[in-house]
Amino acid sequence: MKLQIIQDSKGKATGVYIPIREWKELKKQFKDLEALEYEEPTKEQILQEIKEAVNELKLVEQGKLKARPAKELLDEL
């Protein structure tokens, strides 16, 4: 396997690059790897999440929903 280590400006390893052909072979061998792939959300999904966030904010303002700590919100991002 021909991995490439990705490093930051200080030489600290921050990631690994795996050629796509080898990644596909790994996914064949280890079916659980499929779940690790990131899928770009669609425009519709993003709009739906924004609408849900606005609705939650309105409920918080009305006192019908308890606000979450900012740290919890940022951790979710």
Side-chain angles (χ1 to χ4, degrees):
M1 183 175 293
K2 297 183 180 184
L3 299 178
Q4 292 178 357
I5 305 297
I6 301 168
Q7 300 175 338
D8 64 14
S9 61
K10 295 179 181 178
K12 180 181 175 186
T14 60
V16 177
Y17 169 79
I18 301 172
I20 194 69
R21 185 175 347 126
E22 294 177 25
W23 175 247
K24 288 178 181 178
E25 286 300 317
L26 283 172
K27 287 193 313 183
K28 285 180 186 175
Q29 293 176 22
F30 304 99
K31 300 295 182 188
D32 291 343
L33 288 177
E34 189 87 25
L36 298 176
E37 286 190 337
Y38 173 76
E39 290 187 27
E40 193 72 31
T42 65
K43 181 179 179 181
E44 291 78 20
Q45 289 171 323
I46 293 170
L47 291 174
Q48 181 60 35
E49 289 181 15
I50 291 171
K51 286 178 186 176
E52 289 172 10
V54 169
N55 287 335
E56 277 188 31
L57 182 57
K58 287 179 182 178
L59 291 173
V60 169
E61 289 174 340
Q62 295 170 2
K64 296 179 180 179
L65 186 66
K66 185 177 177 184
R68 297 187 291 168
K71 182 175 180 350
E72 185 179 316
L73 177 64
L74 293 173
D75 288 343
E76 186 178 314
L77 297 175

